[in-house]
Amino acid sequence: MISPVKMRLELKKGINNTYLIDDTYNHDLAGLTRALDFMNQQNQLTKKTVILSDFIRSKNSSQFYSALNDLLIKKGVDKLVAIGPELFTNKAQFSVSTEFFDDVEALLGSKTLRQFKNELILIKGAPDFTLEKVSKSLVEKGHKTILEINLDAIIHNLNFYKSLLKPETQVMVVVKALAYGAGSTEISKLLEYHKVDYLSVAYVDEGILLRQDGIKAPIMVMNASQDEPFNLMRYDLEPEIYSLEQLKSFLSAYQLANKVLPAHLILNTGMNRLGFNESDLDSLIDTIANNPQIHIKSIFTHLAASDDQTQEGFTREQVALFRNGADKIDVALSYKPIRHILNSGGIVRHNEFQEDMVRLGIGLHGIEVSALSADKLKNPATLKTIVSQIRTVKAGETIGYARKGKAEKEMTVATIAVGYADGYLRYFSNGNAYVMINGQKAKTIGSICMDMTMVDITGLEVHAGDEVVVFGTNPTVSQLAEWGNTIPYEILTNINNRVKRVFYSE
Ligand SMILES: *Cc1c(COP(=O)(O)O)cnc(C)c1O
């Protein structure tokens, strides 16, 4: 079984488009306040319901219950589902819409439970009330492999990067590719709550999803192809502009709609991916100067080797070329666009180039892009699965496809519920990686299958159903990347959508 970590708030997807926040610890008003704040910070859905059991240790006073009612109203709760005799006895104190049940069994058997939909539900009660039965019956069932994201660690990492910057430097957080696999809406909600200045995504569709989930922060789209300007306008997304052709095609669409084009100009200074070359600048400036319907929100460039000490000279050349180009554009404008250069590696190694804003990506996810930030970051992501079956394999038998795994002597093998379709790369086959089961290392044996992997547990204390840590603090994403001959970015963004994301705050 996946064992619960003590004292934490968990956000999970529930049935009928609900989100569940599970909290069966600290059952007092302070704990409830914290849980309601967490609910408002996530704010996934506008309708908010609280399922609450009696407060065992509370003084049974009407004052207490009227304070409880005030708190629920203040935090925007739409409905209270109250369980237990004490809450019922004090029903006169509640003005918030309330439904009462004698006990958990009564709620479980009711039609109320089956009718929850499109709402954010906080489940909070004393452990004795077995409210986890309610949570179990509401949670979306599925694949036993989950990616747990520690939201406190994300904020810790954000604050570490901010500590390297001047207080006035703005922060754009790059949440492309599902926020590096962590879950774009939930991470964006968290970042918005912590007041980051900008978000950025790779493609228009990613931006649309964030808007549909209620994200209000400004969003830059890095690779808006030329045919989607109306989606940009409709969802208030701001395109990165990388060529004159793209600029002109967007401009005509915005002119047609009588709207100002909010443009983020990217200058190519050596990355040779997207952007204006130095030789393009004159015609770019010409176009901007002649079209007041273009508003330059920012000018930026992307470093090719920000985290590499041996490329420091090249990085400096990129910065000089950028500043030169940006100065030229500035001259043609009556206002001053935001300038930005640095990604995570750049912030750590070159904060002298922080300009007006930075673009933070992988660092938020605790990946040490530079030895300089080692030990300063916290790991937010843990990929967990379970042991499906255990068997004894006799000496001379083989394990898995193509008979790649060989039992030299009798061994015990566990099959775990994660495979390359989940993002556990086939590269990790035949002992190239280990997982942790009950604090013990178990190496892979044979080839990784699409949905399953066999690991060697000879001599270890393991049972079917036990929790398996695929990555987290040990092994780390960076270790897996090394074993898989790749980079941490690829390990994180390979985690398939069928792996349920569970968010928590401690
Ligand atoms: C992905 C990306 C970033 C973030 O880079 P990290 O190395 O993850 O911090 C910043 N800027 C641009 C243009 C990017 O494509």
Side-chain angles (χ1 to χ4, degrees):
M1 291 267 75
I2 305 261
S3 56
V5 175
K6 266 197 281 170
M7 311 280 280
R8 68 178 205 180
L9 290 153
E10 269 192 6
L11 178 72
K12 303 177 199 155
K13 276 227 161 85
I15 53 167
N16 303 330
N17 189 36
T18 55
Y19 268 92
L20 310 175
I21 296 173
D22 223 338
D23 180 10
T24 45
Y25 303 92
N26 292 329
H27 197 42
D28 52 27
L29 280 192
L32 179 63
T33 306
R34 215 181 125 254
L36 289 168
D37 286 340
F38 182 74
M39 190 179 205
N40 283 324
Q41 172 246 299
Q42 275 299 317
N43 211 19
Q44 248 64 16
L45 297 155
T46 45
K47 183 168 176 200
K48 298 191 180 74
T49 300
V50 174
I51 301 177
L52 197 66
S53 75
D54 272 350
F55 291 80
I56 301 293
R57 278 170 301 225
S58 79
K59 297 184 295 292
N60 177 15
S61 72
S62 59
Q63 257 165 326
F64 175 84
Y65 289 95
S66 100
L68 171 62
N69 180 63
D70 290 348
L71 179 66
L72 295 174
I73 288 173
K74 188 169 137 221
K75 301 292 181 187
V77 172
D78 297 287
K79 184 178 172 185
L80 170 66
V81 174
I83 301 171
E86 298 296 332
L87 284 159
F88 182 73
T89 308
N90 289 281
K91 68 173 192 274
Q93 305 303 326
F94 292 105
S95 58
V96 65
S97 158
T98 309
E99 209 175 326
F100 294 93
F101 292 92
D102 293 341
D103 51 28
V104 167
E105 301 308 323
L107 173 61
L108 286 172
S110 72
K111 66 176 195 298
T112 301
L113 192 82
R114 295 187 297 278
Q115 284 171 347
F116 286 123
K117 66 166 184 254
N118 306 325
E119 53 202 292
L120 181 55
I121 304 169
L122 170 64
I123 303 170
K124 182 134 184 59
D128 329 34
F129 269 84
T130 61
L131 273 178
E132 61 271 12
K133 283 191 197 163
V134 176
S135 155
K136 271 202 188 113
S137 72
L138 289 175
V139 78
E140 219 177 31
K141 305 285 182 298
H143 194 24
K144 288 286 177 286
T145 301
I146 60 169
L147 184 68
E148 288 191 341
I149 305 290
N150 179 344
L151 298 175
D152 303 329
I154 297 268
I155 293 308
H156 169 91
N157 297 338
L158 174 68
N159 289 334
F160 166 70
Y161 281 91
K162 279 187 168 172
S163 76
L164 302 177
L165 301 169
K166 296 180 204 149
E168 66 271 23
T169 303
Q170 297 188 48
V171 178
M172 170 185 274
V173 179
V174 183
V175 291
K176 61 191 176 191
L178 285 181
Y180 293 57
S184 40
T185 296
E186 294 82 358
I187 299 300
S188 299
K189 293 263 179 192
L190 179 74
L191 295 169
E192 200 166 43
Y193 187 79
H194 287 271
K195 305 210 163 28
V196 306
D197 302 280
Y198 252 97
L199 297 173
S200 104
V201 293
Y203 295 102
V204 168
D205 294 357
E206 295 177 329
I208 293 176
L209 277 181
L210 290 182
R211 286 286 183 250
Q212 284 172 339
D213 285 340
I215 299 293
K216 305 276 192 306
I219 300 176
M220 180 179 92
V221 181
M222 297 195 285
N223 196 353
S225 49
Q226 297 186 17
D227 50 0
E228 294 161 295
F230 292 102
N231 274 338
L232 291 167
M233 287 177 222
R234 186 159 163 221
Y235 292 98
D236 193 16
L237 304 169
E238 304 172 1
E240 167 177 327
I241 298 290
Y242 51 82
S243 75
L244 205 55
E245 189 194 5
Q246 183 211 19
L247 176 60
K248 285 182 174 161
S249 117
F250 275 17
L251 178 61
S252 53
Y254 276 77
Q255 280 171 332
L256 208 63
N258 198 21
K259 289 205 155 121
V260 172
L261 168 62
H264 295 267
L265 301 177
I266 179 164
L267 309 187
N268 176 31
T269 56
M271 175 75 178
N272 286 321
R273 188 171 68 176
L274 293 178
F276 292 92
N277 282 348
E278 204 181 4
S279 56
D280 303 326
L281 288 186
D282 287 340
S283 40
L284 170 66
I285 290 168
D286 217 41
T287 308
I288 297 168
N290 289 316
N291 288 286
Q293 242 169 316
I294 304 171
H295 182 83
I296 310 300
K297 289 271 181 180
S298 80
I299 310 175
F300 72 106
T301 194
H302 194 38
L303 298 175
S306 64
D307 53 351
D308 187 346
Q309 195 171 4
T310 67
Q311 297 295 331
E312 208 135 285
F314 184 77
T315 297
R316 288 178 191 283
E317 279 172 38
Q318 281 198 275
V319 171
L321 201 56
F322 168 74
R323 287 181 172 167
N324 223 344
D327 286 347
K328 268 177 111 174
I329 298 168
D330 272 359
V331 170
L333 300 174
S334 57
Y335 54 93
K336 204 170 172 315
I338 299 170
R339 291 186 185 191
H340 45 117
I341 301 176
L342 303 178
N343 64 346
S344 308
I347 300 170
V348 173
R349 299 199 59 84
H350 293 289
N351 67 356
E352 72 272 26
F353 304 142
Q354 62 190 274
E355 314 296 272
D356 309 311
M357 184 159 81
V358 296
R359 299 184 307 277
L360 176 61
I362 193 99
L364 195 72
H365 305 279
I367 305 295
E368 287 154 6
V369 281
S370 155
L372 297 175
S373 62
D375 305 330
K376 302 274 174 38
L377 300 174
K378 286 190 179 162
N379 170 58
T382 305
L383 182 64
K384 287 182 175 175
T385 187
I386 56 160
V387 173
S388 305
Q389 193 180 19
I390 291 174
R391 74 179 63 252
T392 304
V393 177
K394 294 203 191 83
E397 291 185 359
T398 62
I399 297 134
Y401 285 124
R403 308 190 62 202
K404 289 284 189 208
K406 291 191 178 58
E408 304 293 353
K409 47 185 189 234
E410 186 173 286
M411 62 193 299
T412 319
V413 171
T415 301
I416 62 174
V418 67
Y420 58 78
D422 298 298
Y424 196 57
L425 308 184
R426 207 160 164 284
Y427 244 97
F428 302 144
S429 299
N430 302 310
N432 277 340
Y434 65 77
V435 297
M436 295 298 287
I437 312 177
N438 304 328
Q440 311 156 99
K441 282 184 194 177
K443 279 190 166 187
T444 62
I445 179 155
S447 298
I448 309 292
C449 309
M450 186 184 292
D451 317 297
M452 285 172 257
T453 294
M454 278 70 90
V455 295
D456 181 2
I457 55 161
T458 307
L460 305 183
E461 179 70 29
V462 177
H463 303 280
D466 281 355
E467 178 179 292
V468 178
V469 174
V470 179
F471 67 66
T473 48
N474 179 24
T476 61
V477 171
S478 299
Q479 271 173 310
L480 278 184
E482 215 176 294
W483 298 335
N485 194 22
T486 181
I487 52 175
Y489 298 74
E490 193 179 7
I491 301 288
L492 287 176
T493 56
N494 255 311
I495 310 299
N496 192 289
N497 257 345
R498 80 174 178 191
V499 175
K500 206 185 296 173
R501 271 65 173 172
V502 174
F503 303 87
Y504 68 95
S505 171
E506 277 169 339

